[in-house]
DNA sequence: CTCTAAAGCTAATACCGTTAGCTTTAGAGC
DNA sequence: GCTCTAAAGCTAACGGTATTAGCTTTAGAG
């Protein structure tokens, strides 16, 4: 029997494939092992267990989102940067609904996710730096941005908008709402 | 051995106690059975299984939230009603963080949750009726309200705001942001 | 060609959900 | 007060899961 040649990265990639195929709740060591063609206990040679695998998956997703965010704001600033940042993050969540759902509710509570989580928030902070908000106003602006993007992505990625109206339009309203808030905060 | 005298309602109440005590992920038939002092299979006399129990718990939580929302807007209207509605729902989520996390990502997809979910959305719609938004504008306003309340509650209930700034202030900013949006939508 | 570290395996344990079938209790009806 | 029945609860058993322990084998270094 030839060897599979696994490593931690390959296991995480397979886990993401399982999440994409069967949903976040179906991520199990047995399903990942079956996908890569290996007995379940063999995965412990590369991964500490199911909890750690979940954490590694979340870390991968957070890094992807941070990359998306970075690419979105590159070469842009102000309202343009904020708009594209919001749209691109929403786009990622909708393109990979199961991956978004695979993220734990408390990413900052997991030390393994602190770096990736901080990278994403860092892009938020850098993007908002253009508005020169001072002290706590900057913190609140970052939080409001998180609330809107997460709230919308969370609902849309689980098909929570039942009515016929386009979610695109709703999201445009939210962007306008947030930009108005930024402009207003800037004047104080 | 005396009889426990259970019924569906008592089982759901015990399940909520488990959720409050150990978190939403720890909701298991075995833990509920242990709490009420009964063997695990006995629960099947009152509940269809773990999936149904989860659904019943979510239904209870949704109804509680609908009650909170109804009480909040009773005797109020306009900005006052919207403000108190948002604050009270946030208050519920923070007071019962595990219950909020016990809700599935897609409540409307579960037929058993349709009524309670509709009741909560109905309170939103009724509260916004004061602004006389026409057609799709009303839908978008409801959605934006959902996004903000859910996004904030989701993050705060999982201790997602790490910085020292008070989440109260952040939420006040979001309320102001949303009210401005409503006033602006009203003029069109 | 040999030897070692790691990759993979099987076996075994513990916990969970679920089903089947049995026992017993509480209460309805006489 | 007695009986009888429907339901509440139990034990036993099965399958699936994570996890640990210990063995076997492979790939690659020397």
């Amino acid at each position: 029997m030839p060897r599979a040649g696994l490593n931690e990265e390959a296991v995480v990639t397979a886990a993401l494939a399982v999440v994409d195929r069967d949903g976040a709740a179906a991520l199990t060591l047995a399903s990942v092992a079956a996908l890569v063609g290996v007995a379940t206990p063999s995965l412990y040679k590369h991964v500490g267990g199911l909890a750690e695998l979940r954490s590694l998956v979340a870390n991968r997703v957070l890094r992807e989102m941070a990359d998306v965010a970075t690419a979105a704001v590159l070469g842009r600033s102000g309202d343009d940067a904020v708009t594209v940042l919001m749209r691109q993050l929403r786009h990622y969540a909708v393109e990979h609904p199961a991956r978004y759902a695979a993220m734990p509710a408390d990413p900052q509570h997991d030390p393994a996710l602190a770096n990736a989580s901080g990278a994403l928030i860092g892009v938020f902070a850098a993007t908002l730096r253009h508005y020169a908000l001072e002290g706590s106003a900057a913190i609140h602006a970052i939080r409001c941005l998180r609330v809107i993007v997460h709230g919308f992505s969370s609902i849309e990625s689980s098909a929570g908008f039942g009515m016929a109206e386009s979610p695109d339009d709703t999201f445009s309203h939210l962007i306008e709402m947030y930009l108005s808030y930024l402009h207003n905060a800037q004047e104080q």
Side-chain angles (χ1 to χ4, degrees), chain A:
Chain A
M1 51 191 79
R3 194 159 286 197
L6 289 181
N7 53 31
E8 182 181 288
E9 191 186 341
V11 171
V12 174
T13 299
L16 266 171
V18 170
V19 168
D20 285 336
R21 176 161 52 89
D22 302 328
L27 175 57
T28 178
L29 288 180
S31 62
V32 173
L35 182 62
V36 300
V38 136
T40 304
S42 303
L43 294 179
Y44 284 83
K45 286 284 151 72
H46 309 286
V47 153
L50 179 60
E52 184 182 308
L53 179 58
R54 287 212 186 97
S55 183
L56 290 168
V57 166
N59 194 59
R60 174 82 67 87
V61 172
L62 269 175
R63 293 213 169 277
E64 286 183 359
M65 291 183 67
D67 288 347
V68 166
T70 301
V73 301
L74 219 64
R76 304 178 193 273
S77 74
D79 290 5
D80 183 34
V82 172
T83 300
V84 176
L85 172 65
M86 293 176 74
R87 287 199 191 283
Q88 286 301 110
L89 283 177
R90 175 217 169 187
H91 184 256
Y92 178 88
V94 173
E95 285 283 304
H96 310 286
R99 295 189 189 191
Y100 195 81
M103 295 238 311
D106 49 350
Q108 18 242 323
H109 182 263
D110 186 343
L113 270 48
N115 280 342
S117 181
L120 181 55
I121 300 292
V123 177
F124 282 24
T127 304
L128 295 179
R129 207 167 288 146
H130 171 269
Y131 296 91
L133 301 174
E134 53 191 35
S136 63
I139 301 294
H140 293 307
I142 294 173
R143 286 176 174 176
C144 289
L145 182 54
R146 286 176 60 198
V147 164
I148 292 174
V149 171
H150 165 68
F152 186 90
S153 300
S154 169
I155 294 176
E156 188 185 26
S157 68
S158 57
F161 294 132
M163 308 296 289
E165 273 74 12
S166 167
D168 293 27
D169 294 344
T170 303
F171 198 64
S172 295
H173 286 206
L174 285 165
I175 293 174
E176 286 302 316
M177 189 188 311
Y178 183 66
L179 290 178
S180 297
Y181 158 74
L182 279 182
H183 299 157
N184 192 57
Q186 214 173 3
E187 292 167 3
Q188 288 168 3

